[in-house]
Amino acid sequence: MTDRELAAAGIRDPYLRAAYTHCRRLNARHGKTYFLATRLLPVERRPAVHALYGFARWADDIVDDLGSGATPAERASRLGALQERLAAGLRSGRSPEPVVGALAHTAAVYGIDHRLFTDFMASMRSDLTVTDYATYDDLDRYMHGSAAVIGLQMLPVLGTVVPRGTAAPHAAALGVAFQLTNFVRDVGEDLDRGRIYLPADLLAAHGVDRDLLEWSRAGGFRDRRITLALRDAVALTRGVYRLAAPGLGMLDPVARPCIRTAFVLYGGILDAVADDGYAVLHRRAAVPRRRRAAVAVDGLVRLAAARRRAAGHARGTVTGPGRPAGGVQRTRERAESVPEGVA
């Protein structure tokens, strides 16, 4: 975390500065696409995004910690301990654990509904025992906690030009679209962990099951049935991106370049999967570096234009970190909960 970002966010407490810096390192190390997009946010909002990502990354690492040889019971115990630290941190606004401390501070500053973190932890716990999903509806219930809530957590930080409840369904859909993209890209790695996140009925429609996937993964063999199933999974994911797309224009203009960049780059992963012949069981698809750079430059151009417009329309009206200019609806309604049916 740079001093400039921390100062802009009004974070002066030495402990909190160290906690946010730790979260930023997690983001830079593990979330390259997300970190690149975050660089396009106004500096005062970046620490909060790093805190949200850092906590999600930490919980996910506990669930997926196979390298240490930890048993499922040991991982469940560690996840339970994290849940206790989270609950205590959200109650008090502080925590001796840096990641929880940064998250609790962010939740307090932006008025993020605590139920979103509870739902997230519930999905993390399910990963310890659930290894596949019969239907998309089953998977969607899991993704509410693992992905949709991430989009909803982000909304108060990003800000909107419409009531937050109007933008919330699109933000939730974007979180789901990003996770579905990861599921398609990482299907081989997830299989190594014993998990299949693509719905069983989607696979079965093409004659694909766990045995066929494991045979293909282990032997490096290609199978047209798997290719067709993955093509359907990509089409399903693109449909969720279409549901999310209207929400981009509902965000605070100076936050749009960040989310648009993530939208384009994550969507580009689906393009890379298709261009590589849907070979995700055998190698990881990635957006070419030149394409990533071009999208980032476009984001910078859009950000500069948004800042010029904001300065022209609302010069001198920003009152503090995370506060919008003009009519943007954001953290002034800190007690506002997520609308009924969204959380």
Side-chain angles (χ1 to χ4, degrees), residues 58-252:
W58 188 23
D60 194 57
D61 283 348
I62 291 174
V63 171
D64 289 340
D65 183 13
L66 303 181
S68 69
T71 66
E74 289 169 336
R75 280 180 276 151
S77 177
R78 290 170 58 194
L79 205 59
L82 176 58
Q83 175 88 56
E84 292 177 1
R85 293 189 197 117
L86 171 65
L90 290 174
R91 282 195 304 270
S92 66
R94 292 187 66 85
S95 172
E97 169 53 53
V99 175
V100 176
L103 181 78
H105 182 259
T106 289
V109 168
Y110 287 95
I112 299 173
D113 191 329
H114 293 182
R115 291 175 298 173
L116 300 177
F117 302 112
T118 301
D119 290 350
F120 172 76
M121 292 301 294
S123 285
M124 292 301 97
R125 286 194 302 274
S126 76
D127 265 336
L128 297 174
T129 56
V130 179
T131 59
D132 49 38
Y133 297 87
T135 68
Y136 182 77
D137 284 345
D138 295 324
L139 180 62
D140 192 50
R141 282 189 286 273
Y142 163 79
M143 291 189 297
H144 163 73
S146 63
V149 299
I150 304 298
L152 295 171
Q153 290 167 19
M154 287 281 290
L155 261 192
V157 179
L158 298 173
T160 61
V161 294
V162 298
R164 195 182 303 170
T166 302
H170 303 289
L174 188 58
V176 170
F178 287 168
Q179 185 162 67
L180 283 171
T181 300
N182 287 340
F183 288 162
V184 171
R185 181 194 61 190
D186 300 338
V187 63
E189 296 170 21
D190 289 331
L191 191 63
D192 292 343
R193 299 184 181 103
R195 302 193 199 113
I196 299 174
Y197 287 107
L198 302 183
D201 59 352
L202 181 150
L203 298 174
H206 297 284
V208 178
D209 58 14
R210 181 182 289 269
D211 288 342
L212 182 61
L213 292 173
E214 290 178 342
W215 168 82
S216 176
R217 175 73 168 170
F221 304 116
R222 301 293 300 275
D223 189 290
R224 187 170 184 273
R225 291 170 292 178
I226 295 174
T227 298
L228 292 174
L230 289 168
R231 187 178 297 169
D232 275 2
V234 168
L236 171 68
T237 305
R238 292 194 191 281
V240 181
Y241 275 102
R242 287 192 290 273
L243 291 175
L248 297 179
M250 298 178 185
L251 298 175
D252 182 347

Side-chain angles (χ1 to χ4, degrees), residues 264-281:
V264 173
L265 288 176
Y266 266 92
I269 293 172
L270 298 179
D271 295 332
V273 168
D275 292 344
D276 196 34
Y278 301 91
V280 287
L281 275 169

Side-chain angles (χ1 to χ4, degrees), residues 251-317:
L251 298 175
D252 182 347
V254 295
R256 289 175 200 166
C258 166
I259 303 306
R260 183 185 182 279
T261 295
F263 185 97
V264 173
L265 288 176
Y266 266 92
I269 293 172
L270 298 179
D271 295 332
V273 168
D275 292 344
D276 196 34
Y278 301 91
V280 287
L281 275 169
H282 314 298
R283 54 184 174 266
R284 188 182 179 93
V287 178
R289 184 173 299 179
R290 185 174 299 178
R291 171 64 174 157
R292 287 166 56 89
V295 173
V297 169
D298 179 69
L300 288 170
V301 171
R302 291 172 181 270
L303 177 60
R307 285 176 173 170
R308 286 195 298 271
R309 286 194 295 270
H313 290 304
R315 190 178 306 277
T317 62

